[in-house]
Amino acid sequence: MGNSWDKARTLADKHASQGGIFVRLANDGDKVVGAFCGEPFAREVVWTGERYETYDAAVHTDKRPSLRVSLNFYVPAENAMKVIEGGTVWFKDVLKIRDKYGLDKWLFEIERHGEAGSPKTTYSLLPEEKLDDELKAKIAACELHDLERLANSQGDADEAKPTATTSSARKDGPIDPRVAGEIVARLKALPRSDVDAFLAKTGVQRVRDLKAGDETAARALLDQLEAKAAPVQAVEVDPFA
C-alpha cells in the first residue's frame, strides 16, 4: 500500500512541474534532463516576497539586488522548449559545463538538492548523453522564447512567445560571428577535402555566409567530418600474453 502512495506522489510531483513555460524543480531530488539553447539573459532582481522583480535603484532603496540568469532549455520528455532560470552559483556551474563539454553537444541533467524554501538549496549539473542528429533537428525546429520580453512581462508567457515573423527573421539572419569563428577553427583542423565537402553540403563559399538557421545542421556535419578524420587508435598487443 505504501508503495502505491509513493508512486502516486511521485507522478503528481512530475505532472505538477510540467505544462508551464518554466522548468520547475520545487522539491529536494527533483530533476530534469534537457539541452541549453540560445543566448542567456541576465538581470539584477529583488525578491518582493512573492516574485522576482527587476532591480531599480531608485525604487528598491532598501533592497540588495541578486543575479538571475535565464536560458532556453529544450526538454525531450515533453518535446518542448522551456525556460530555466537560476542565480549566480547556478550560472557559474553552467559556464563550467559550457567550457568543458559545450552546451550544443549534450543533454544535461539538473537536480535540486534542498527542500522547498531552503536558502541552502544547490543544483548539480551533469552531462546525460550526447545529442544525436534526430534530437538536434527537433531542437532546431523549436522557437526560442524571448527571454527579455518574458522577464519584462513579469511572467506573462503569451507576451514572451516569438511571432512567426520574429522567428523567421532570426533564422534567416546571418550566423553569429562567434559561432562562425568556432566553425572556422574546427574546419582548419580538417583536411582540405573535408572543408570543401562542408562548404558544398552547406551551399556556401565562406563560413560567414551561413544563416543563423544553418547552425545546428552545420555543427552536426562538422561532428561527422571530425569523427571520420579522427585517427584510429592502434590496439596494443602484449606479445607475452
Side-chain angles (χ1 to χ4, degrees):
M1 186 68 176
N3 289 338
S4 297
W5 281 100
D6 290 341
K7 181 179 179 181
R9 181 172 63 179
T10 299
L11 289 173
D13 290 341
K14 174 184 176 182
H15 285 275
S17 66
Q18 293 180 349
I21 190 173
F22 286 96
V23 172
R24 303 291 188 189
L25 302 178
N27 301 301
D28 183 42
D30 283 359
K31 61 182 67 174
V32 65
V33 173
F36 292 98
C37 304
E39 298 295 316
F41 175 70
R43 59 182 178 137
E44 287 188 305
V45 299
V46 293
W47 178 248
T48 66
E50 296 181 355
R51 59 183 171 82
Y52 284 106
E53 191 173 279
T54 301
Y55 175 68
D56 184 336
V59 175
H60 305 113
T61 55
D62 60 339
K63 294 184 180 293
R64 183 178 179 180
S66 60
L67 176 70
R68 299 294 290 178
V69 181
S70 54
L71 280 154
N72 279 279
F73 192 74
Y74 177 78
V75 181
E78 300 180 48
N79 190 28
M81 185 66 70
K82 308 193 79 170
V83 175
I84 192 164
E85 188 176 61
T88 302
V89 175
W90 175 83
F91 185 60
K92 284 186 176 181
D93 287 340
V94 172
L95 292 175
K96 288 178 182 177
I97 61 173
R98 173 178 176 265
D99 293 340
K100 186 171 183 178
Y101 300 101
L103 297 184
D104 60 327
K105 297 179 181 179
W106 288 82
L107 288 174
F108 292 92
E109 179 192 83
I110 304 174
E111 181 176 358
R112 177 185 177 120
H113 304 282
E115 299 296 337
S118 172
K120 296 182 179 180
T121 294
T122 59
Y123 297 87
S124 58
L125 289 79
L126 296 171
E128 179 74 7
E129 62 179 276
K130 281 196 170 183
L131 297 174
D132 57 26
D133 291 342
E134 181 181 357
L135 197 51
K136 287 179 180 179
K138 287 183 178 180
I139 294 173
C142 289
E143 294 182 352
L144 298 179
H145 297 289
D146 189 324
L147 301 176
E148 183 173 2
R149 287 178 62 192
L150 181 60
N152 292 336
S153 65
Q154 298 181 346
D156 188 340
D158 289 333
E159 289 187 24
K161 289 180 180 177
T163 62
T165 302
T166 301
S167 177
S168 176
R170 180 171 60 245
K171 290 183 178 180
D172 290 340
I175 195 167
D176 188 312
R178 291 172 296 179
V179 175
E182 178 191 339
I183 292 174
V184 167
R186 292 172 65 182
L187 284 172
K188 285 182 177 179
L190 295 174
R192 178 67 199 192
S193 59
D194 286 343
V195 175
D196 292 339
F198 175 88
L199 296 174
K201 288 186 178 181
T202 54
V204 297
Q205 293 183 327
R206 299 169 299 184
V207 172
R208 66 184 182 187
D209 294 333
L210 289 168
K211 302 295 184 184
D214 299 329
E215 179 183 346
T216 299
R219 289 184 181 278
L221 178 57
L222 260 178
D223 290 341
Q224 294 174 8
L225 293 172
E226 288 173 338
K228 185 184 72 171
V232 177
Q233 296 293 327
V235 178
E236 292 188 8
V237 178
D238 185 352
F240 303 106

